[in-house]
Amino acid sequence: MNYKNITIAGSGVLGYQIAFQTAFYGFNVTIYDITDANLEKAKTKFNTLSEAYKRDVNATQKQIDSTFKNLSYTSNLAEAVKDADLLIEAVPENSKIKIDFYQKLAKVAPKKTVFATNSSTLLPSQFAEVTGRPSQFLALHFANTIWVHNTAEIMGHATTDSKVFNDVVAFAKAIGMLALPLHKEQPGYILNSLLVPLLSAATSLLVNDIADTETIDKTWMKATGAPVGPFGILDVVGITTAYNIDKMAADKTEDPLKIKTVKYLKENFIDKNKLGVATSEGFYKYPNPTYKKPDFLK
Ligand code: NAD
């Protein structure tokens, strides 16, 4: 892998984090967004993010200064990719927006540029043709708070070139990620293929009144040694996300349990603004949830 110049498209929740992490590890990073106003917002967020790097990963001021030197900004797509070895796309999770973006990108990107999508729920095969370079296209999926939850799932589609795939695995490692390669396409990658069924099973146990929240979490924590149970995880992820996933499933099925789950989450959490850690209350109350108390598993 001899990537030097990396372009990040989209400076929202994930894009600005990917840009900073990549610049922190010494790459030249160009951030592209549709308006200069969005880029200005990202610049402001970098100041807060610098503090988080100092606190969470012991970054020094010298490292932060050189990170800022590695960052540049533009709202001109052709300018943004003119020297790019790799472009990481973090535009909104909407296939119409992504297709439109790749059509424009294909017209201006140099031949050498590899494209990677950070999409959480859309598959690379949905966009491979429209990129105009299917063999140089794949998914590189990061998690929110990338500097501490430093996982990178790398997932090609049927015709991704194996050298491109291996280069992106090497790149992920070079920016401090735990690289997690998938052998083929899988909706939800590895993490959500494991997590979504776990969280959904926990909610079903609760909604069916098999056991209460704490008992279900205690079972998982004690039996597997996990530091947090499914309801503690749901509070971190945000109950809105779980509600939206369940609602999408319920809209497509007659399954009474799914319908009951959606109603339960709406009435007990969404309508009461108990959305998890973000609103200081979800299944637990924050900042000191009972599951973190030393006697929780006694
Ligand atoms: P976001 O809405 O916070 O940010 C999207 C950014 O893209 C905005 O700054 C917007 O101005 C910009 N944008 C819109 N159209 C654009 C275009 N045509 N060209 C360039 N920029 C454009 O979204 P997000 O949460 O950062 O998500 C981005 C991608 O990352 C999605 O595919 C999402 O699935 C994925 N992702 C998100 C998370 C998360 O926790 N938020 C986690 C992993 C992956």
Side-chain angles (χ1 to χ4, degrees):
M1 188 272 295
N2 48 13
Y3 298 166
K4 288 189 184 70
N5 303 320
I6 315 295
T7 299
I8 313 295
S11 62
V13 174
L14 252 279
Y16 94 103
Q17 296 180 23
I18 301 167
F20 200 81
Q21 179 78 9
T22 305
F24 185 78
Y25 277 86
F27 291 86
N28 299 324
V29 175
T30 304
I31 308 174
Y32 165 74
D33 206 307
I34 35 176
T35 65
D36 288 328
N38 289 345
L39 294 168
E40 285 307 318
K41 267 192 238 159
K43 281 185 200 170
T44 322
K45 290 192 290 182
F46 285 141
N47 293 325
T48 319
L49 195 55
S50 302
E51 294 310 310
Y53 271 62
K54 287 182 192 164
R55 182 188 65 227
D56 298 334
V57 294
N58 299 319
T60 62
Q61 188 57 46
K62 206 170 150 223
Q63 286 175 307
I64 297 294
D65 291 345
S66 68
T67 303
F68 276 98
K69 282 199 196 104
N70 292 338
L71 289 167
S72 55
Y73 309 81
T74 179
S75 55
N76 177 322
L77 184 57
E79 180 65 27
V81 287
K82 70 177 194 310
D83 293 320
D85 299 305
L86 171 68
L87 173 135
I88 303 173
E89 171 269 304
V91 310
E93 190 70 345
N94 172 310
S95 32
K96 207 166 154 285
I97 295 178
K98 289 201 196 280
I99 286 172
D100 180 59
F101 170 75
Y102 283 118
Q103 276 168 343
K104 290 184 177 136
L105 177 66
K107 289 194 187 122
V108 293
K111 273 211 180 84
K112 68 167 182 176
T113 312
V114 167
F115 300 165
T117 178
N118 181 46
S119 175
S120 296
T121 60
L122 304 164
L123 294 169
S125 54
Q126 290 173 250
F127 306 106
E129 283 314 314
V130 80
T131 64
R133 58 188 72 192
S135 64
Q136 282 166 247
F137 177 59
L138 76 179
L140 171 59
H141 182 239
F142 298 97
N144 200 356
T145 62
I146 179 173
W147 64 102
V148 280
H149 294 131
N150 55 331
T151 57
E153 295 181 279
I154 300 112
M155 181 173 84
H157 61 93
T159 61
T160 304
D161 184 282
S162 60
K163 178 175 184 317
V164 168
F165 186 90
N166 292 335
D167 279 351
V168 173
V169 170
F171 166 75
K173 291 180 185 166
I175 60 163
M177 295 291 118
L178 175 63
L180 305 165
L182 279 76
H183 297 158
K184 51 172 119 158
E185 269 196 348
Q186 163 70 17
Y189 301 83
I190 298 170
L191 178 61
N192 283 334
S193 298
L194 295 168
L195 195 55
V196 173
L198 171 73
L199 301 183
S200 157
T203 316
S204 297
L205 290 169
L206 182 69
V207 172
N208 269 338
D209 198 23
I210 306 297
D212 61 39
T213 304
E214 291 199 352
T215 305
I216 297 166
D217 271 2
K218 280 179 190 172
T219 310
W220 186 255
M221 289 164 72
K222 191 71 177 175
T224 67
V228 51
F231 293 107
I233 296 174
L234 273 167
D235 277 351
V236 173
V237 171
I239 297 172
T240 312
T241 302
Y243 171 75
N244 287 337
I245 292 173
D246 283 338
K247 185 152 188 331
M248 265 192 287
D251 288 347
K252 281 191 225 145
T253 167
E254 300 283 296
D255 180 356
L257 179 60
K258 273 273 165 254
I259 294 163
K260 200 171 157 193
T261 302
V262 171
K263 189 166 178 283
Y264 177 89
L265 291 177
K266 183 167 188 318
E267 286 174 0
N268 293 288
F269 296 93
I270 306 292
D271 289 350
K272 293 182 176 164
N273 201 37
K274 292 185 187 174
L275 305 179
V277 179
T279 58
S280 299
E281 188 171 353
F283 291 99
Y284 295 92
K285 285 192 177 147
Y286 297 85
N288 298 309
T290 48
Y291 77 80
K292 284 199 177 155
K293 298 212 162 114
D295 61 351
F296 188 64
L297 295 181
K298 296 261 160 70

